[in-house]
Amino acid sequence: MTKANDISFKYENINGKFNFRVAAFIKNGEKFLLQKSDKDSFYGLIGGRVSFGETTFDAIKREVNEETGVTLNDESIYLFKIVENFFNYDNKRFHELLFVYKIENNDLNKLDNFKTLDKSDCINKWFNKNEMLALQVRPKELKDWLNDDKIFEHLIIID
């Protein structure tokens, strides 16, 4: 659901949409937390849209808290990927700028097979690498990230 301050624009003339989003690549040892909506055939990452005036760092903390109830500490969050994503979904063309953060948090590790707090139709579940390789996931490149430990330097400049 789009909120008033979300950075998201519809383009009716081309049946398209631009989204500025964040997502959480949540890892616990060799397991990864994924989310699935009842209406979709694929799993994805916990996340959501960035609000106007909000940093992506603050947005990922907010989104994880809204969806899981867990408050993250800053030391457990690392910028992992920046993805310019083009895809079709629900008969619409999307252009998305996605900031993916890697997160390791003990409170999240205690949760499994649980409903998303702010969405009644989503479930969250831990999967090991082999299980993930057999799943349909979005973005599709997510499977390629399982052994990737690179971390970006992330600068936030507010003028």
Side-chain angles (χ1 to χ4, degrees), residues 50-73:
V50 178
S51 296
F52 183 81
E54 182 179 44
T55 67
T56 59
F57 191 78
D58 288 338
I60 197 61
K61 291 193 302 187
R62 175 182 52 76
E63 284 292 340
V64 168
N65 182 262
E66 287 175 358
E67 297 189 19
T68 69
V70 172
T71 301
L72 298 174
N73 59 40

Side-chain angles (χ1 to χ4, degrees), residues 21-27 45-46 50 55-61 64 72 76-82 98-104 145 154-156:
R21 296 187 74 246
V22 291
F25 188 64
I26 300 171
K27 184 177 178 186
L45 301 173
I46 290 173
V50 178
T55 67
T56 59
F57 191 78
D58 288 338
I60 197 61
K61 291 193 302 187
V64 168
L72 298 174
S76 68
I77 308 167
Y78 304 93
L79 184 60
F80 180 58
K81 302 280 182 194
I82 298 174
L98 177 65
F99 282 60
V100 181
Y101 284 86
K102 188 177 276 189
I103 296 171
E104 294 191 38
W145 303 347
H154 183 203
L155 299 176
I156 299 172

Side-chain angles (χ1 to χ4, degrees), residues 23-34:
F25 188 64
I26 300 171
K27 184 177 178 186
N28 176 18
E30 295 299 312
K31 291 193 169 194
F32 302 87
L33 187 62
L34 297 177

Side-chain angles (χ1 to χ4, degrees), residues 51-129:
S51 296
F52 183 81
E54 182 179 44
T55 67
T56 59
F57 191 78
D58 288 338
I60 197 61
K61 291 193 302 187
R62 175 182 52 76
E63 284 292 340
V64 168
N65 182 262
E66 287 175 358
E67 297 189 19
T68 69
V70 172
T71 301
L72 298 174
N73 59 40
D74 292 357
E75 296 79 34
S76 68
I77 308 167
Y78 304 93
L79 184 60
F80 180 58
K81 302 280 182 194
I82 298 174
V83 181
E84 192 168 357
N85 199 8
F86 298 87
F87 60 94
N88 291 307
Y89 179 75
D90 203 20
N91 296 316
K92 197 173 283 173
R93 185 80 182 132
F94 280 80
H95 179 168
E96 179 177 88
L97 185 57
L98 177 65
F99 282 60
V100 181
Y101 284 86
K102 188 177 276 189
I103 296 171
E104 294 191 38
N105 178 283
N106 288 332
D107 292 328
L108 287 166
N109 300 346
K110 298 172 190 170
L111 303 173
D112 192 19
N113 208 19
F114 64 98
K115 286 274 191 187
T116 299
L117 298 179
D118 66 346
K119 300 173 193 157
S120 61
D121 68 337
C122 286
I123 191 91
N124 300 277
K125 186 173 174 164
W126 290 97
F127 293 95
N128 65 37
K129 287 181 183 182

